[in-house]
Amino acid sequence: DSAPKLLAGTGSDRVHLLVVCTAERGLCGPFNSAIVRLAREHINTLVGQGKEVKILCVGRKGHEQLRRQYGRMILETVELRGVRQIGFEQADMIAKKIVALFDEGSFDVCTLFFSRFKSVIAQIPTAQQIIPPVFEKAAAAASYEYEPEEEEILGDLLPRNLSVQVFRALLENAASEQGARMSAMDNATRNAGEMIRKQTLTYNRTRQAMITKELIEIISGAEAL
């Protein structure tokens, strides 16, 4: 009963905050749209259940895709376009925004949306509930003694854990984005090569037809004389 709200939740699930993490740039295949599609499905399900939904966009592409249909739900967009390499400070800044909104009573449940990196050709859109966190059931309960008190330790660890979860999502996204971009550019290069081959073949055939036509005209003219 004495567990902090960040761990135990508010006891309600009426208002949901969706933190949608996408890229700042395109040209990476279906990477951004896959994350947004998962978020959109989640939004529609929650709205259908009568829940209130709020959105925090991390990345410009997610905001661009969500604003038309869900613009009124978007609280803020965090753009990381000027950041050359994602670091813990960016994740900590986003996590502090989430905690501030939670402390204000703006939402009850927070879910993080990002793309989990599996391989260069496989990225998995993922939804992870971070407030209150969802844990796997332990095999057996264990008893621990804490120094300092449990509440004091959790008061420091829970916000830091939130920052770590956001940092993990940003890193997974960064790896997934580059993998998706490599695949998209490889496909584009292959398609361009195939298009050049076809156009070259068409050009050569047309050129040969014109030469043949000119030869026929010359021969026909010579025979007429």
Side-chain angles (χ1 to χ4, degrees):
D1 293 339
S2 61
K5 280 189 174 183
L6 274 177
L7 181 64
T10 61
S12 172
D13 66 344
R14 189 183 66 83
V15 184
H16 288 251
L17 176 68
L18 275 53
V19 182
V20 184
C21 303
T22 55
E24 294 289 343
R25 300 171 181 84
L27 298 177
C28 48
F31 168 75
N32 291 309
S33 56
I35 299 170
V36 171
R37 188 182 307 115
L38 181 63
R40 190 179 286 120
E41 290 171 359
H42 206 76
I43 294 168
N44 292 337
T45 299
L46 290 171
V47 171
Q49 294 172 353
K51 311 293 185 185
E52 183 182 348
V53 177
K54 299 178 180 180
I55 304 170
L56 174 63
C57 293
V58 179
R60 188 167 55 91
K61 288 297 178 180
H63 176 259
E64 287 177 356
Q65 293 189 39
L66 289 169
R67 66 183 175 187
R68 290 184 182 176
Q69 191 173 358
Y70 307 108
R72 59 184 176 80
M73 300 178 183
I74 298 175
L75 299 178
E76 186 182 349
T77 299
V78 178
E79 290 195 10
L80 303 173
R81 203 181 330 182
V83 180
R84 297 194 63 177
Q85 185 173 354
I86 296 294
F88 184 77
E89 58 185 304
Q90 285 81 35
D92 193 45
M93 174 264 293
I94 294 165
K96 283 176 178 175
K97 288 179 182 290
I98 296 171
V99 172
L101 288 168
F102 186 71
D103 289 342
E104 292 170 7
S106 294
F107 67 88
D108 302 306
V109 179
C110 179
T111 305
L112 195 58
F113 291 82
F114 61 97
S115 186
R116 186 162 55 84
F117 180 82
K118 185 176 181 182
S119 70
V120 172
I121 59 173
Q123 300 86 33
I124 305 169
T126 303
Q128 178 187 357
Q129 183 175 309
I130 55 175
I131 300 177
V134 177
F135 301 104
E136 294 182 5
K137 291 185 178 179
S143 178
Y144 298 96
E145 291 185 4
Y146 295 92
E147 180 64 37
E149 290 300 315
E150 182 179 348
E151 290 80 5
E152 189 177 340
I153 295 174
L154 288 175
D156 181 58
L157 284 184
L158 288 173
R160 180 168 290 273
N161 174 65
L162 201 64
S163 298
V164 169
Q165 296 295 338
V166 174
F167 189 35
R168 178 216 170 188
L170 294 179
L171 291 179
E172 292 270 8
N173 254 12
S176 297
E177 179 190 349
Q178 297 309 321
R181 181 168 283 112
M182 284 175 63
S183 297
M185 293 301 100
D186 184 56
N187 290 335
T189 302
R190 192 180 298 113
N191 291 339
E194 181 65 19
M195 187 178 295
I196 290 170
R197 188 188 69 80
K198 288 180 178 178
Q199 292 296 330
T200 302
L201 187 61
T202 302
Y203 167 76
N204 288 336
R205 284 177 176 172
T206 304
R207 180 171 170 270
Q208 187 63 49
M210 291 296 294
I211 292 171
T212 303
K213 180 183 176 184
E214 288 176 4
L215 288 173
I216 291 171
E217 288 175 352
I218 292 169
I219 293 168
S220 298
E223 289 179 351
L225 294 173

